[in-house]
Amino acid sequence: MGEAGKVMIEAVEDRGEDYSGDFLAEVEARVEEGEWVTMCTQCGVCSGSCPLGPDWEHPPHRIFQLIRANRRDEVLGSPSVWMCTSCHACVVRCPRGVPVAHVMHGLAHYAVRRGLAPADPPTRRLAERFWENVVRTGRVNEPRLALSLLFANGLAEGVRRTLRSRDAGLGLLKAGRMSRLAAVAGDGVKDPAELRAILEKARAIELAKAAALED
Amino acid sequence: MAKRQYSFLPGCSSRPGASASHYLTSVETVCGELDIELQTIPDWNCCGASLGHVGGGELPRIALSARNLALSEQAHPGQDLVTACPGCWLATREASERLRQDEDLMRDTQEALAAGGLRVRAEQRVRRLVDVLVEDVGYEEIGRHVRRPLQGLKVAGYVGCQSSRPVGVAGDSTENPTHLDRLVEALGGEPVPSYEKKVQCCGGALALSEPARSEGLLRGILEAARDHEVDLVVTPCPLCQLHLEVYQQRLARSGGTRPAMPVVCATSLMAVAFGRSAREAGLDGQLIPAPALEALPPGLA
Ligand code: SF4
Ligand code: SF4
Ligand code: SF4
């Protein structure tokens, strides 16, 4: 993966034995905003607010319940947290002030880091390509992001999908909203290596903290 | 010197040749007209948007926004940081708030930034462009610039997620915001205060990754507007605008027969009402043209 690879997530070996099987304690200590889980009173307002509600295998309030019920694999392996659109409806409505969206995001990241996230959610693929894009140049190159997604399943599938989405692409091209050149070159920050140094340092600090918890 | 100056984060989508380049054109037109100077943050980087948490986790994601905050305060001390894209606002504002509230996070972030020779204070206010238009300029002053009122135009104001949550524009309601309706009114158009889908999510990034699942959301937003028999939909968010247009193009291709509903950016609508050309309003970037806007009688000059 070269230089950019260093700031990508590397899944650590999952022993699944930390916290003597106490998943709630694990979430509280290791998942971003995880300490909020016990504030939830199971009122269901968050789940009722989710725009893609019917597509969640376990809607947010159930995720909180499953965490407390110690169902680790079910939570981290579920495609549910990948259904969050970051709409923040839950955040403004939760009577307990739980930052529900952030916990869902935190769980998604943690599941990837532990190597337990399902491989197939398209949002996972999009997010990973997106981050590679950001790390490479410091700015998102939309055509390149679109192409890398279209070709994520190999060349033949990519060509088929490109043809299918051609009209939208051509429309944007015609309207001056998708530069032909940007897919090749594209501008970014002046010194991507400097930005990568910052991100690598941040990643290193985070990993060191996680390792300290491991002992 | 311009009447108002801000430190400006254009965002990835608003660059020339990107999907919201037409939006940036309209932003520049409107700000020029209102004597607002947007000073671009030198060497800004992506905000991480709503997907940064997956690859970036917590600290790298926060560091990304912290770099923008640091560059902004270095180049434009004392100025508010203003974003074109509500998505950039959400990520940047959140990072700034967390840095101020969490000492450990602040210390770790400084350590990361030092690898690039930067330091951050995160003391400036982080605002959306629409916050500035509504709060600092205000409807009255905007109204004074109208040379081509949107007479007879019925416009549904689609606010979307990131212009209503977690904090509404200029303190507006998160559930039933009215600032967009008041803006339409100031421009001489007819708003639809009872439009049901004002703050309905359009699917966000999942409109790209899960298009089939997001269809119901996009359809609902457009159908509700049709029920009110509006001429067009207006939105402050360039990504909502993109998603609503691309979805309708896809529909048309799969044999849909309904006439498409034009969706324009709020700043495009303002530029038209200010009497500026279609090109200056960014309307040449529409995938779905807005004939009602082009048919307006010419301005009062
Ligand atoms: S809205 Fe808050 S309290 Fe209610 S179920 Fe969701 S997280 Fe729990
Ligand atoms: S932010 Fe995510 S979890 Fe919260 S209501 Fe929206 S989709 Fe559901
Ligand atoms: S929200 Fe979009 S436009 Fe804003 S910096 Fe981020 S990816 Fe780029």
Side-chain angles (χ1 to χ4, degrees), chain B residues 201-231:
Chain B
C201 175
C202 75
L206 273 69
L208 288 174
S209 57
E210 297 273 10
R213 287 186 157 113
S214 305
E215 261 172 25
L217 304 174
L218 294 159
R219 192 185 320 121
I221 293 164
L222 295 162
E223 288 303 315
R226 267 200 195 94
D227 289 346
H228 286 284
E229 300 181 327
V230 300
D231 296 290

Side-chain angles (χ1 to χ4, degrees), chain A residues 115-143:
Chain A
L116 295 175
D120 42 334
T123 307
R124 175 178 176 185
R125 281 209 298 266
L126 174 65
E128 287 174 345
R129 294 296 94 77
F130 174 86
W131 188 252
E132 281 169 18
N133 231 274
V134 172
V135 169
R136 186 176 302 127
T137 65
R139 293 180 192 167
V140 170
N141 184 313
E142 291 172 334

